[in-house]
Amino acid sequence: MFILRMFKPLLVLGAACLCLYNYSPPMVSAAQRCCEGEEWLKWSKETQTVYLTGLLLGTERGFRKGCFEGLVQGSSSPTEINERALRGCLGKTPSFTKDISVYVQKVTEVYQTYPNDRSLSVRDVFFEFSDDKNRTAKQVHQRLVVEGKRD
């Protein structure tokens, strides 16, 4: 009986922790979550630079892994990969050869010049400045907002 009284508070505490652990806050829809551009403008240049660097490195890694895995899965032999096909796939990776500070400034320019575009994701805006697109802030606004196009 004594042991049961000792463990009762622990059981109550454990049950409370379990309830809190399983609690999920209400979901926020994309329409309610606003606005990445507002958040971007609050960040320091250093934070913006780190964010875009991470986005860039993650994209490159994702393309490399996706191309390699896709070719391995499509190959008759896991050890045999068509190098030409791999180069072709990797060639579709968006290229960003300018200094990262250039892209930080360009993303910032879009959000400052077009305040209503602050609902656009940083990712979507950033990718409009890749080497193969190399758009201006006005062109980004035109493509993503006026035309509503996304890649």
Side-chain angles (χ1 to χ4, degrees):
M1 193 70 163
F2 174 74
I3 293 176
L4 187 59
R5 272 187 285 168
M6 276 183 42
F7 286 111
K8 188 174 180 182
L10 290 175
L11 288 172
V12 171
L13 181 61
C17 288
L18 188 59
C19 288
L20 288 174
Y21 177 77
N22 287 325
Y23 172 74
S24 304
M27 294 296 289
V28 177
S29 73
Q32 292 172 315
R33 196 180 117 244
C34 190
C35 298
E36 282 192 34
E38 292 288 344
E39 291 301 313
W40 174 267
L41 293 173
K42 293 176 188 175
W43 294 346
S44 67
K45 293 286 183 224
E46 181 180 336
T47 301
Q48 293 168 342
T49 300
V50 169
Y51 185 87
L52 287 189
T53 301
L55 182 59
L56 181 59
L57 294 174
T59 299
E60 289 173 349
R61 181 174 183 222
F63 265 85
R64 279 194 313 272
K65 187 172 173 95
C67 288
F68 182 78
E69 289 298 322
L71 290 170
V72 166
Q73 295 298 320
S75 174
S76 58
S77 167
T79 58
E80 185 180 310
I81 295 176
N82 182 329
E83 274 191 50
R84 191 169 135 201
L86 181 60
R87 280 194 305 274
C89 181
L90 291 173
K92 297 186 186 311
T93 307
S95 177
F96 295 87
T97 57
K98 296 177 183 79
D99 187 80
I100 199 73
S101 64
V102 172
Y103 302 111
V104 167
Q105 179 53 43
K106 287 181 170 210
V107 171
T108 301
E109 181 185 357
V110 169
Y111 292 137
Q112 287 176 336
T113 306
Y114 301 97
N116 290 335
D117 293 2
R118 292 178 185 170
S119 60
L120 295 172
S121 73
V122 172
R123 181 199 176 281
D124 286 344
V125 173
F126 175 60
F127 277 87
E128 291 299 310
F129 297 119
S130 67
D131 292 347
D132 65 314
K133 295 177 184 175
N134 198 29
R135 294 192 168 93
T136 64
K138 184 177 182 178
Q139 290 169 325
V140 170
H141 167 75
Q142 177 69 31
R143 179 169 166 76
L144 297 180
V145 176
V146 177
E147 297 171 10
K149 294 184 180 173
R150 302 278 195 290
D151 289 335

